Amino acid sequence: MTVTTRFAPSPTGHLHVGNVRTALHNWLLAKQAGGRFLLRIDDTDAERSREDYVEAIRADLNWLGLVPDGEERQSARFDLYEREFQKLVAAGRVYRCYETAQELDLKRKVLLGRGLPPIYDRVALKLTEADHAARAEAGERPHWRFLLDHDAPIEWTDGIRGPQHFDPRQMSDPVVRRADGSWLYMLPSAIDDVGMGISHVLRGEDHVSNTATQVQMFVALGAEPPKFAHEALLVGTEGKLSKRLGSLGMAELREAGIEPQAVIALLARLGTSDPVDPALDADALAASFNLSHFGRAPARFDEADLARVNAAVIHRLPFAVVAGRLPPGMDEAAWDAIRPNLSTVAEAADWWRVVTGPVEAPAQSDEDRAYLGTAATMLEQVGADWAALTAALKEQTGRKGKPLFLPLRQALTGHDHGPEMAALLPLIGHNAALERLRAAAA
Ligand code: GLU
């Protein structure tokens, strides 16, 4: 069987960490099996769907490296939905209803008041053709429900949740089409999963009850249901995904200096028993991706974790990957020296300015100024070699530890902390270093 997965966002907003995680897991599932990962734009809702969101979704997936092997748009597939729908009409698997939202609400309240589950009572099934004709005459248009088969128990083995069982008698026949002819999510999605040859549907557990209904839709459409897996939802550190995190888009993350590799490394493993490993790229993650490692508890997304993974990713990013984002003149040696101190690539420019100067060094005590004068003399003898310089100074002055190193670092960089001086000093260079030491000694 070819594994074909899909990511099916509605273009009514930007992708956030929660749906990026779903996209990634579907990508990993497909790649692992050498299969296909498809993007399906769920834009049946013409009012709320926006073209700029469609473009942003494509751009975000691209940035993350989750490039789809194909793309479909629901708005281009209405003819297909109509054809399949007419077959269901002919087979009696969809039926016309006229209740208003208020009437339905009242029915639900009555049932709940009697301690009964609020299941639709199917009274519309009793309408005759004459009733429908009279309604049409009066200008009323029906909405349509899918007729669940009460005699076919709903079962599937969920890739994450294990065996699932639903009793269709305990479920309402879902509305699949509105009176204005527009589609609700449920039926077009099942038609597309069949039409696009989707073998695995991996999505959030908020879709479990939809799956129960869709299992019967697949059968009614004459197709074998795909394999389903439902992941526990993503929550923030304080419980549910906060409004801010829930809407945190890839553009904001990129702006904040988060690398796509960090998003991938963290989200691939979030909710599983596998540790996050910043060394693994998407292909390596695909090889080790395993649905059975997913837990049932909500997956916690912590921005601090993302920042940590991001730093770890940056500390191993090769020069070639970042070269275009570094300040002019900053070469591979400089990147390698500075990279371990970065939490974002943009910070490289700050350290590069320290290399190129000028730097503003703190004022030193008389004693340290004298020491820095000695350092300048030593530097002239040993050159811009940190080990040689400090060894010579240690010998000459008897200083060691902080008094040996800190005044030098301060004079040479203007900072108390930073990249390894052994790597930084040759980048600063002999002449500039000499100048800085003399200035600090003066
Ligand atoms: N557009 C639906 C959503 O975003 C797709 C759900 C599905 O994966 O079937 O929830």
Side-chain angles (χ1 to χ4, degrees), residues 7 40 70 191 218 226 248 270 296 309 336 371 398 410 412:
F7 172 51
R40 186 184 82 203
I191 293 172
F218 283 103
L248 197 63
L270 212 56
R296 293 287 297 272
V309 176
D336 288 347
Y371 168 64
Q410 288 177 333
L412 289 166

Side-chain angles (χ1 to χ4, degrees), residues 68-85:
D69 300 304
E71 180 183 316
E72 297 290 348
R73 290 181 80 127
Q74 292 202 314
S75 58
R77 296 166 71 85
F78 288 140
D79 290 349
L80 172 66
Y81 306 152
E82 194 65 52
R83 281 199 302 280
E84 292 303 321
F85 181 73

